[in-house]
Amino acid sequence: MESFFLHNANLLLENPEIAASLQEVAIPMTFKKGEIMHHSNTICKHFYLLLDGVARVFYYRDGKDVTVHIAQEQESITAIDSFIQRKKSKYSIEAMENIECIAISRNDIEELSAKSHQFEHFGRLFLEKIYIDLAERLDSLLLHTSHERYEDLLQKKPELFQRVPAKHLASFLGMTPETFSRIRGK
Amino acid sequence: MESFFLHNANLLLENPEIAASLQEVAIPMTFKKGEIMHHSNTICKHFYLLLDGVARVFYYRDGKDVTVHIAQEQESITAIDSFIQRKKSKYSIEAMENIECIAISRNDIEELSAKSHQFEHFGRLFLEKIYIDLAERLDSLLLHTSHERYEDLLQKKPELFQRVPAKHLASFLGMTPETFSRIRGK
DNA sequence: CGCCGAGTTGAACTGAATCAAGAAACGTGG
DNA sequence: CCACGTTTCTTGATTCAGTTCAACTCGGCG
């Protein structure tokens, strides 16, 4: 397993033409720690590439706050359901540190895709990548124990354990804070 | 939740130009019940659109046969990991009834995508769709009990309960055959 | 007929959730 | 910079859904 749904945006930025197109429409934005970058039940109009800081996507599952995605620098984050389906999202996005990022609007992405075959192509590649990530995440949740998922994340993204509150890592890994704490305490 | 990962291929066929392009490269194929349409540990070169019959994608998770996708008529099936990443797949595909289908090779899809912006566009839409399906499947497994997942599938795809052996439905729903049987017996 | 895989049923087990309560960390205002 | 209240984390006891293991039944097919 590679990224555990932490999308690396390099795919988009490493191609000069794509990067240049994105430059033109990118809007630099900042968010303060704790700020909600996107509110659930609204349409998410932006796709964010983080330059600094950590953010998470979460929603309320049976009244409980569940984190489904965490992104750091060089990674992307959006309310994917809304972004794809152009309907109100069940997800919110929260800045967990002060964030510097660039935002690209859904409309601009559509326009660039319509205009440029190559851009459309990279859009497809990006979706292929996050699809595989998601399939791996699903496998991990079904196949591995809480212990194994904890160790896996610890190995792949140790920084997160310093930067993100334990309760959010716990729900991201599909376990309760109590279980997370017990595993941490060996 | 809509499709529980049962991709409907109408997206591809309802557009006349796309359908016509696909016609040109589509290879009609048949498989007998029980036949393996794709062997794991080989590269899956085809994407199948089923015209008649039921097939499943499965792999061995800790030595156990786990079904991860089931497709009927008008739906598509492939070893998605291999198809996207062009590497050996961990999945196999098995015909659970005699199958009539058309096969489209990965190469042809790539060529059509390179040649036709519109085709590329539909490729992207298709991926968006299966991404949302997969996200819903993940949610379902985390949020709902075995009971609820059973009822959900029963309501959405009652035909499958006649056509597919219980043990495969069980693993598809993320439970043991015993649990499946107990739920079925009310 | 007799076999064999599939399905059912029962009993014991278990990983993780839940409930509860105390300790530590945080941040906000004085 | 400290005090206080709130949130987060830890630790323990209990519960539960679902797995595992095992035995038995059924139905199709040689």
Side-chain angles (χ1 to χ4, degrees), chain A residues 56 58 170 183:
Chain A
R56 71 186 182 107
F58 69 99
I183 291 170

Side-chain angles (χ1 to χ4, degrees), chain B residues 149-172:
Chain B
R149 298 195 310 266
Y150 178 97
E151 290 298 338
D152 198 50
L153 186 63
L154 184 57
Q155 204 206 319
K156 304 256 165 56
K157 301 272 172 178
E159 331 79 79
L160 291 184
F161 289 71
Q162 314 308 321
R163 304 178 78 177
V164 177
K167 61 177 178 169
H168 295 143
L169 292 178
S171 76
F172 179 62

Side-chain angles (χ1 to χ4, degrees), chain A residues 110-129:
Chain A
E110 282 306 317
E111 279 176 28
L112 283 171
S113 293
K115 213 166 15 181
S116 157
H117 186 167
Q118 192 185 21
F119 198 91
E120 181 94 54
H121 179 68
F122 274 84
R124 199 189 86 197
L125 293 191
F126 185 77
L127 274 158
E128 287 182 351
K129 179 174 184 337

Side-chain angles (χ1 to χ4, degrees), chain A residues 111-164:
Chain A
E111 279 176 28
L112 283 171
S113 293
K115 213 166 15 181
S116 157
H117 186 167
Q118 192 185 21
F119 198 91
E120 181 94 54
H121 179 68
F122 274 84
R124 199 189 86 197
L125 293 191
F126 185 77
L127 274 158
E128 287 182 351
K129 179 174 184 337
I130 67 176
Y131 184 92
I132 293 294
D133 287 351
L134 189 60
E136 283 172 349
R137 181 157 155 71
L138 180 65
D139 255 26
S140 169
L141 284 164
L142 293 179
L143 174 58
H144 298 294
T145 63
S146 296
H147 245 271
E148 290 166 330
R149 298 195 309 268
Y150 178 98
E151 290 298 338
D152 198 49
L153 186 63
L154 183 59
Q155 204 206 318
K156 303 259 166 54
K157 301 273 173 178
E159 331 79 80
L160 291 184
F161 288 71
Q162 315 308 320
R163 305 177 77 177
V164 176

Side-chain angles (χ1 to χ4, degrees), chain A residues 14-45:
Chain A
E14 71 198 4
N15 180 289
E17 286 186 50
I18 300 295
S21 305
L22 283 176
Q23 274 314 352
E24 285 176 32
V25 297
I27 309 157
M29 294 179 90
T30 62
F31 296 93
K32 295 212 186 79
K33 179 174 178 172
E35 202 173 337
I36 298 299
M37 300 166 65
H38 163 71
H39 287 270
S40 66
N41 213 30
T42 64
I43 294 176
C44 185
K45 297 196 175 67

